[in-house]
Amino acid sequence: MNKNVSWIFELTLTKGNPNDLKKLMVELVESSKNNEPGTLAYEWALNEDNNICHIHERYSDSNSALMHLTPFNENFAERLMAIGDATGFVVYGNPSNELKAALEAFGGTYMSPIGGFTR
């Protein structure tokens, strides 16, 4: 069984601008890339109007996702939320109860796998 957990977090830029977001994104990506071996994907995308950002994150398992959330909450969450508002959060996979509890504040929708494959 695939233990990967992933999510798409949507941020609508309401308080900051795309340049603020991009500066913070560089820090977040570097921190995750260099310190979190269980982070398999960490991709950011902006819409054409530069006011909606989707952050796609994929982790090898729930523990790896939890390892990401600790430095995120300590160093980056407040700064990210100073740029915009969370307007969507969808979690995929079978997250552990501990991970669900850690994600509770984001109010996500949980999608359980029913078929398909990952290479």
Side-chain angles (χ1 to χ4, degrees):
M1 177 165 90
N2 188 338
K3 293 183 179 184
N4 288 179
V5 175
S6 63
W7 56 72
I8 296 176
F9 179 78
E10 181 178 278
L11 181 79
T12 299
L13 281 66
T14 55
K15 306 168 213 165
N17 63 58
N19 288 332
D20 296 332
L21 180 72
K22 289 174 184 176
K23 287 177 187 174
L24 183 57
M25 181 264 316
V26 169
E27 288 183 56
L28 274 156
V29 168
E30 285 303 310
S31 176
S32 296
K33 186 177 180 181
N34 295 330
N35 301 308
E36 301 169 13
T39 300
L40 305 176
Y42 198 42
E43 302 171 315
W44 296 51
L46 276 173
N47 69 342
E48 289 181 8
D49 293 332
N50 289 317
N51 65 346
I52 298 175
C53 177
H54 279 191
I55 305 169
H56 172 244
E57 304 178 37
R58 186 166 57 100
Y59 301 93
S60 60
D61 55 28
S62 290
N63 287 335
S64 295
L66 286 164
M67 285 180 59
H68 169 79
L69 290 175
T70 299
F72 173 77
N73 288 332
E74 291 174 358
N75 303 310
F76 302 106
E78 187 175 316
R79 293 165 55 199
L80 182 64
M81 299 318 295
I83 296 170
D85 297 317
T87 50
F89 185 53
V90 180
V91 180
Y92 303 90
N94 294 304
S96 67
N97 290 333
E98 185 180 8
L99 179 56
K100 283 183 178 180
L103 296 174
E104 190 173 313
F106 297 104
T109 299
Y110 290 85
M111 305 293 289
S112 296
I114 60 170
F117 69 92
T118 299
R119 291 184 197 243

